[in-house]
DNA sequence: GTCTATACCATGATAGAC
DNA sequence: GTCTATCATGGTATAGAC
């Protein structure tokens, strides 16, 4: 009986450690972005040696993928947790609000769209691609429902709406507004939600 | 008489060459971003040796600053060229449209907000800071005018509106929509203008 | 077996000699 | 202006300690 127990315990520990690594990557990606994040920093923040990272994740790209997968899973879980009775538009708004709140606490990692080698690595990652497609589909359905409800302009293609929401969640304005320190986090979130769904006018 | 003429000619050439350098930087910043742009690439694109770059610009940061200064000057010129008879909101929309069109042709460089060493270098650059302040003021006035006209919600702080417009000009959605190839450049610009000023609803 | 220390190697920003 | 160092950084691989 000790055999299986020991193994299970070790596996448990492995998961805990990898979770700590992903935590660190998550924060660093949110604060510095992928290009400026270094493996040294990740290791230092976790409190392990740089080489140990490579025992858990084969590359920097894999680390980024792991962080994004966890974010996608959390997002999917949040989307699915929303009451079905809520109108589609309200759910979309709640999702963006949730993302912005996560971001306000420094927990929303973002990846650069221009880094081709990173993108190539991500596209090859089945788990990652699968989650992205799942989320796109889930949100796409909500957007189309909102269009039917007359809550979203029907002359906007669904993908335009989708990208607009995504873009707003990683909008650099947030950083600048936060840096200025004129408004509370709550206010900033409200402003972004307002400009996203209602526009400037 | 040959003395001054010769000098002037050399100066002329200098300017032409530096302009070519800034052209290359402009394109590379637009395509790859600051972190992934290398001095080797810049040199290769201009057709000179890497070390020669340093005869013209003291550092990579200075190159980025030069490109941004030229962009800011072009933007300021465009803003000032707009007819005073146009309503403020129409001018704001025209400015964003212009920026998006420039971007569509790969001519809109962007800088990462997270790179602290770059930001520090820019803040020390008086020419750059001056232009930024000029543009902020010019656009800020337009925004406040548009608010008085009832064309922009008066409950939105001016800086929120300003950042929202800036953010939309370097929105990653553009790249994704372009990559998908479903819409023409003109349509993409229209979609972004619409979602920015009128919102999704 | 898992972590650490260290070595390796490419890249990329600068600097100095022609 | 070019060519050729220099020097730091950072991603990756290996070898040995608990």
């Amino acid at each position: 009986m000790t055999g299986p127990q020991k193994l299970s315990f070790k596996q448990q520990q492995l998961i805990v450690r990898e979770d700590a690594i992903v935590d660190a990557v998550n924060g660093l990606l949110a604060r510095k972005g992928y290009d400026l994040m270094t493996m040294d920093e990740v290791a230092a923040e976790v409190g392990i040696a740089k080489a140990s990272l490579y025992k858990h994740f084969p590359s920097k790209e894999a680390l980024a993928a792991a962080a994004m997968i966890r974010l996608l899973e959390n997002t999917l879980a949040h989307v699915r947790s929303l009451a079905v009775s809520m109108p589609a538009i309200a759910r979309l708004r709640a999702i963006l609000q949730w993302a912005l709140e996560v971001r306000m606490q420094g927990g929303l990692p973002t990846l650069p769209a221009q880094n081709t080698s990173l993108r190539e690595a991500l596209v090859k990652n089945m788990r990652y691609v699968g989650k992205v497609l799942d989320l796109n589909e889930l949100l796409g359905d909500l957007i189309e429902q909102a269009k039917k409800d007359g809550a979203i302009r029907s002359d906007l293609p669904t993908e335009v709406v989708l990208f607009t929401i995504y873009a707003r969640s990683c909008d650099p304005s947030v950083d600048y507004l936060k840096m200025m320190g004129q408004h509370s986090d709550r206010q900033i979130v409200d402003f972004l939600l307002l400009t996203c769904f209602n526009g400037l006018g």
Side-chain angles (χ1 to χ4, degrees), chain A:
Chain A
M1 212 169 161
T2 54
Q5 258 189 351
K6 224 174 182 176
L7 191 70
S8 170
F9 176 69
K10 276 198 177 171
Q11 284 181 330
Q12 206 88 357
Q13 276 212 324
L14 191 84
I15 291 173
V16 169
R17 199 151 332 169
E18 300 203 336
D19 232 53
I21 293 173
V22 175
D23 275 343
V25 172
N26 207 69
L28 283 167
L29 284 181
R31 288 202 302 278
K32 320 191 56 173
Y34 179 78
D35 296 321
L36 266 45
M37 177 187 86
T38 73
M39 299 298 267
D40 295 86
E41 285 171 320
V42 177
E45 194 158 313
V46 180
I48 62 176
K50 180 165 67 155
S52 302
L53 285 181
Y54 286 88
K55 302 290 179 184
H56 297 277
F57 298 92
S59 67
K60 189 182 177 185
E61 280 111 352
L63 271 183
M68 294 310 287
I69 287 171
R70 202 175 67 177
L71 171 66
L72 286 165
E73 281 170 348
N74 290 344
T75 310
L76 281 164
H78 181 73
V79 176
R80 292 187 174 121
S81 79
L82 292 174
V84 187
S85 60
M86 274 175 93
I89 184 74
R91 276 189 271 177
L92 288 170
R93 181 185 285 263
I95 293 157
L96 179 54
Q97 179 173 350
W98 174 84
L100 287 170
E101 281 164 358
V102 170
R103 167 135 179 233
M104 281 293 171
Q105 276 137 15
L108 198 121
T110 57
L111 297 185
Q114 301 132 327
N115 192 325
T116 43
S117 67
L118 173 61
R119 241 217 327 268
E120 278 164 22
L122 288 176
V123 167
K124 282 182 196 146
N125 188 320
M126 274 177 39
R127 258 174 77 72
Y128 173 79
V129 172
K131 302 279 178 198
V132 169
L133 292 179
D134 284 352
L135 186 59
N136 281 352
E137 196 183 327
L138 217 52
L139 295 183
D141 287 349
L142 279 178
I143 290 167
E144 266 153 36
Q145 183 58 49
K147 279 200 223 169
K148 279 198 198 113
D149 299 342
I152 286 187
R153 311 174 62 102
S154 51
D155 53 347
L156 285 175
T158 297
E159 65 269 22
V160 170
V161 178
L162 185 63
F163 288 145
T164 297
I165 293 176
Y166 281 156
R168 205 67 197 173
S169 77
C170 55
D171 192 311
S173 313
V174 173
D175 300 314
Y176 289 115
L177 288 173
K178 220 174 169 181
M179 261 169 40
M180 291 179 57
Q182 305 267 15
H183 311 284
S184 71
D185 285 9
R186 173 120 195 79
Q187 280 178 311
I188 294 174
V189 171
D190 283 343
F191 287 142
L192 287 218
L193 285 171
L194 195 63
T195 56
C196 182
F197 287 96
N198 298 32
L200 299 175

